[in-house]
Amino acid sequence: MSEIITDIPLNRLPAIVAELGLKPFAVEQIIEWLYRRRVSNFSEMTNLTKQARDELAKKYKISAVEKAGVETAADSTRKFLCGLTDGNAVECVIIPAEDGRVTTCISTQVGCAMGCAFCRTAGMGFVRDLTQGEILGQLILAMRESPEPITNVVLMGMGEPLANLDAVSSSVELMLDTRAFGFSKRRVTLSTSGLLPQLDAFSRRFDIKIAISLNATTDEVRQRLMPVDKRYPIAAIMDFCREYSHRTRHRVTFEYVLIRDINDTMTDAKRLVSLLRGMRAKVNLIPFNPFEGSGMDAPLPETVERWADLLRENGIQVNIRVSRGQEILAACGQLASKAVIGE
């Protein structure tokens, strides 16, 4: 089977160009065709010789994903089923916002091993990691399909990004490279459940936005919702975040999924204020997005507002995340490939 050329890290491309007998500047040409112009066929790379294009076509394929389905919500959110070469599939989402931003939410694994109780992807279990080409293939698909330019990328889809550290790192490198996608480092966000050794290594290499999925203020509740807390409890998360904020001078973003009668009491809210005291922090409050079989409910709207008011009164920046694409199961925590779980 031909190798997928978008699976090849940047540092390997010069050797491939040399094997083809091309000048070193052809590396930049190939990168531009693949990631800025997003061609689907080597024949479109018109500033390469025909012989080079033919050799590339013999040895490589361009795309690691194909559009296998699409659903559109009333708010214009679009969810794509992305077919992979081995018959598996993942989902990615295009989310337009009223302020002109267009965000694409990308998956990094088929399924997930983290087992978070509030996340529909957890019901799939873990199937496998995605490759660099499969991660970037979702971004390329979104950029081709979106009527407006994609302005932001969030690695918040199916899977724990830091459990697939190598492929995610090489993908982020291309997202930021001005020869490739050229996204600003403040336009790319990685969301993690808190795999601290990997997070430390990643944050020292890449200066992109990091969002920590917290979702509880006691280890007892967090372990019920997020088994990863048994390895990396709240105190360890907070110690890392204080060091990270001091080292980078960045505000730390925490994601908190509010679930009725589980983690949404005002006592929880006050504990969160205490946990974040003295830290440059931002909190994204995410009302739980119900799905069949979850056994959990969304918080009352007044609860969300009371939380937001209390956090703001204590000098903490807070955003209430509006759930978009909920009716097509495209909202936060709702992604799960039908091609895998057989729905």
Side-chain angles (χ1 to χ4, degrees), residues 122-314:
M124 296 173 58
F126 174 71
V127 180
R128 68 170 176 84
D129 290 329
L130 296 185
T131 66
Q132 171 188 295
E134 290 167 339
I135 295 169
L136 296 176
Q138 298 168 72
L139 176 55
I140 290 169
L141 173 63
M143 296 178 87
R144 287 174 177 166
E145 294 286 334
S146 177
E148 302 294 335
I150 298 292
T151 61
N152 294 69
V153 180
V154 293
L155 297 162
M156 293 184 184
M158 296 163 56
E160 163 57 62
L162 294 180
N164 186 14
L165 184 59
D166 288 344
V168 167
S169 296
S170 60
S171 298
V172 169
E173 183 179 8
L174 278 156
M175 290 177 195
L176 302 179
D177 196 301
T178 54
R179 299 170 298 169
F181 295 99
F183 283 100
S184 160
K185 63 186 181 182
R186 308 318 294 159
R187 297 284 187 170
V188 180
T189 302
L190 180 143
S191 175
T192 177
S193 61
L195 301 185
L196 293 183
Q198 296 92 324
L199 179 55
D200 183 63
F202 184 88
S203 68
R204 291 177 187 278
R205 180 177 175 188
F206 297 105
D207 189 26
I208 67 170
K209 289 185 177 180
I210 302 293
I212 308 289
S213 189
L214 188 62
N215 307 313
T217 58
T218 68
D219 287 319
E220 179 184 4
V221 174
R222 194 167 189 260
Q223 287 176 22
R224 174 183 169 189
L225 296 175
M226 302 179 68
V228 71
D229 187 81
K230 295 174 184 177
R231 283 186 287 161
Y232 306 112
I234 291 173
I237 296 285
M238 293 300 150
D239 285 346
F240 171 83
C241 289
R242 291 181 191 283
E243 185 280 328
Y244 168 83
S245 180
H246 177 75
R247 168 166 49 90
T248 64
R249 312 306 299 171
H250 294 329
R251 191 182 302 272
V252 181
T253 297
F254 294 93
E255 296 173 316
Y256 197 105
V257 177
L258 286 163
I259 307 168
R260 191 185 306 182
D261 299 329
I262 293 179
N263 66 353
D264 71 338
T265 70
M266 292 312 295
T267 299
D268 284 305
K270 292 172 184 175
R271 270 197 297 259
L272 182 59
V273 169
S274 295
L275 286 170
L276 302 185
R277 187 164 285 124
M279 187 189 306
R280 288 169 49 82
K282 178 175 75 172
V283 175
N284 288 331
L285 292 179
I286 308 170
F288 173 66
N289 294 305
F291 54 88
E292 186 176 353
S294 68
M296 297 184 290
D297 297 313
L300 298 173
E302 54 264 36
T303 298
V304 181
E305 292 298 334
R306 288 177 66 198
W307 269 66
D309 289 343
L310 180 66
L311 294 174
R312 290 181 183 126
E313 287 168 6
N314 284 273

